[in-house]
Amino acid sequence: MAKSPAAGQGRGVGDIDPARLAHLNAGGVAAATLTECLAVDFAAVMRATLPDLGEAAAVLDAAATLGITKRMALAASLIRERLGPGAVERLAESPSDTLRGWACFVIGQGEYDSLAERLRAIRPFADEDHFGVREWSWLALRPHIAADPQAAIAALVPWTAEPSDNVRRFACEATRPRGVWCAHIAALKKAPAQGLPILEPLRADPARYVQDSVGNWLNDAGKDQPAWLRALCDRWRAESPEASTLRICARASRSLDQTALNGTPLTQKF
């Protein structure tokens, strides 16, 4: 996750004040740090905030060892199964970022006629004030984006011109070839030039939040297509020598020195 506030409760889950953790698990407050996000007991939050789900929370108890993204999706499936798609509005009003994140996954699992409609539904969460909810917004739609990256890129191009840094960043982050906590997009790893309709409008973006995402997108691409990345950065530096572009290219190139001189791609397990 990115663009989060500075930690205030220490560096590890064990450093979180017990009263603070209890408040998080009651769903009465949003996490202030990634550590707090990871410390939340999903089953406890569900029992406290959605008592009408009955013993659905017991399923989350049993799944406590799963990765957080899988548990987010599981919670959303339990909510959607029992409360239906109308649960999104209810979850969106919660002070808990966990519940608002569940809303993202309910949208991700919902029935929509097109990816464009699903994107319209997720947009308020993509432009959320909370750093965690913004991450869940794209992670919840990632399976749909990975299933048809060309359609996703076409639908997200207009987002690159939005005034909100968060919305522009979503367009880039959601389509990263590798990304974090998500499946890779094989088509973009093989042919990252398909992402240029999103990347080109952002190559001199004034927001560091967006710059970091573009740099990370390109760093992903360079692990499989280093020659393509070098050529793109050379062109961008020549055509757009602004400080923002230079910063993006520096971030994009950080893994190139780990790549074999003959262009052999880096290997990375997901």
Side-chain angles (χ1 to χ4, degrees):
M1 294 184 179
K3 205 178 174 183
S4 63
Q9 287 78 33
R11 294 182 178 276
V13 171
D15 297 311
I16 300 174
D17 181 84
R20 170 71 177 174
L21 185 57
H23 204 186
L24 289 166
N25 288 336
V29 66
T33 66
L34 175 56
T35 299
E36 289 190 351
C37 288
L38 297 174
V40 169
D41 182 332
F42 284 7
V45 173
M46 183 171 283
R47 288 189 176 97
T49 61
L50 301 170
D52 45 336
L53 264 64
E55 283 306 304
V59 179
L60 292 176
D61 278 324
T65 59
L66 292 178
I68 188 170
T69 305
K70 290 181 179 179
R71 286 185 286 121
M72 290 291 289
L74 176 59
S77 69
L78 294 169
I79 293 166
R80 185 168 174 268
E81 177 182 300
R82 290 161 175 79
L83 301 182
V88 170
E89 184 175 353
R90 176 177 172 183
L91 296 169
E93 295 174 350
S94 173
S96 169
D97 60 290
T98 298
L99 267 73
R100 301 201 303 277
W102 288 348
C104 294
F105 281 85
V106 172
I107 292 170
Q109 296 170 10
E111 300 294 332
Y112 291 87
D113 290 335
S114 66
L115 178 59
E117 285 191 8
R118 199 181 299 275
L119 286 167
R120 279 194 291 272
I122 208 71
R123 191 185 185 286
F125 300 94
D127 201 18
E128 255 260 19
D129 289 339
H130 195 274
F131 67 97
V133 178
R134 293 196 299 269
E135 296 301 313
W136 295 131
S137 70
W138 72 262
L139 282 164
L141 266 60
R142 177 73 171 194
H144 303 283
I145 290 168
D148 193 350
Q150 290 187 338
I153 288 167
L156 287 169
V157 165
W159 290 38
T160 66
E162 289 284 337
S164 169
D165 301 352
N166 297 331
V167 174
R168 299 197 307 277
R169 190 255 188 182
F170 178 102
C172 182
E173 196 71 16
T175 58
R176 281 177 58 178
R178 290 171 177 254
V180 292
W181 294 0
C182 63
H184 296 177
I185 301 178
L188 293 177
K189 290 168 66 175
K190 182 178 180 180
Q194 295 177 78
L196 287 176
I198 284 175
L199 299 172
E200 290 284 1
L202 302 177
R203 68 177 179 177
D205 197 279
R208 280 183 167 247
Y209 191 44
V210 180
Q211 293 170 22
D212 286 349
S213 183
V214 176
N216 290 339
W217 200 112
L218 293 173
N219 183 63
D220 282 359
K223 291 174 181 176
D224 296 285
Q225 306 296 335
W228 177 85
L229 174 59
R230 289 191 184 93
L232 179 70
C233 286
D234 286 347
R235 177 169 66 80
W236 278 12
R237 290 187 185 103
E239 295 176 354
S240 178
E242 291 94 338
S244 54
T245 306
L246 299 180
R247 183 174 182 274
I248 287 171
C249 289
R251 188 175 186 87
S253 304
R254 65 186 186 273
S255 296
L256 286 178
D257 57 354
Q258 302 173 37
T259 307
L261 293 176
N262 64 2
T264 301
L266 290 168
T267 58
Q268 174 178 314
K269 286 187 177 181
F270 170 67

